[in-house]
Amino acid sequence: DDNTTTPTTTQKANLMVVHASPDAPQVDIYVDGTKVRDTLSFPGNTSYLQINSGTRNIKVNVAGTNTTVIGPVDLSFNANTNTSIFAIDSVAKISPLVVSDDLTAPASGKAHIRFIHLSPNAPGVDVSVTGQPQGTGLFTNRTFNKTITGSESSFTPVDAGTYNLEVRLANTLTVVLPLPGITLTAGKIYTVFASGFVGGSGIQQLNAQIIANN
């Protein structure tokens, strides 16, 4: 009799890595000892990398060297999930911030957006549409933390369109970063994160980055 063996299909997960440490050099990303991305620069990000689900060993090295700046650390990835790992803080205190990404499709005419505060020396902020009253906005009283709450990692549905946004000192009308002409396309999912340092110069100055998650 012929014995037929059904091949085992390895289940997959998706991983995005974001370089959000303003003064850190370019880095190489390793999963289970295999380099999956090299020379990632601040404030860039990978696309979603497909990896095997289960426990994976993650390591971040200074690009082209054996100098490890994050890890190696074992992280668990469930099948068919999406995860972002942000390398955050100044290089002297760099650490990983692991965030679950819910990529459920937005309703018709809507986009999804979230804001993550990743500027190490910036105070708490609100993100508002220009002209909104004090203490109101899409996101309020967000601060830099080594960990974030579930609400901070969640995406907020908004009407698709082009917005003039501004980052304000929390609970004030003081604008620290104008974000004019931000286009949010129907059906798309976005992560906006505050980057750089207050008082920084060049690429390291306080800014905001937008990632399209889908």
Side-chain angles (χ1 to χ4, degrees), residues 126 128 131-135 166-176:
D126 300 334
S128 302
Q132 283 186 314
Q134 177 178 325
E166 52 192 25
V167 180
R168 305 172 182 167
L169 294 179
N171 299 310
T172 77
L173 293 176
T174 302
V175 177
V176 294

Side-chain angles (χ1 to χ4, degrees), residues 20 28 38 55 63 66 70-71 82 92 115 122 157 160 187 190 195 200:
D28 298 334
D38 59 7
T55 301
N66 293 321
I70 293 179
N82 306 286
F115 174 78
Y190 301 93
S195 65

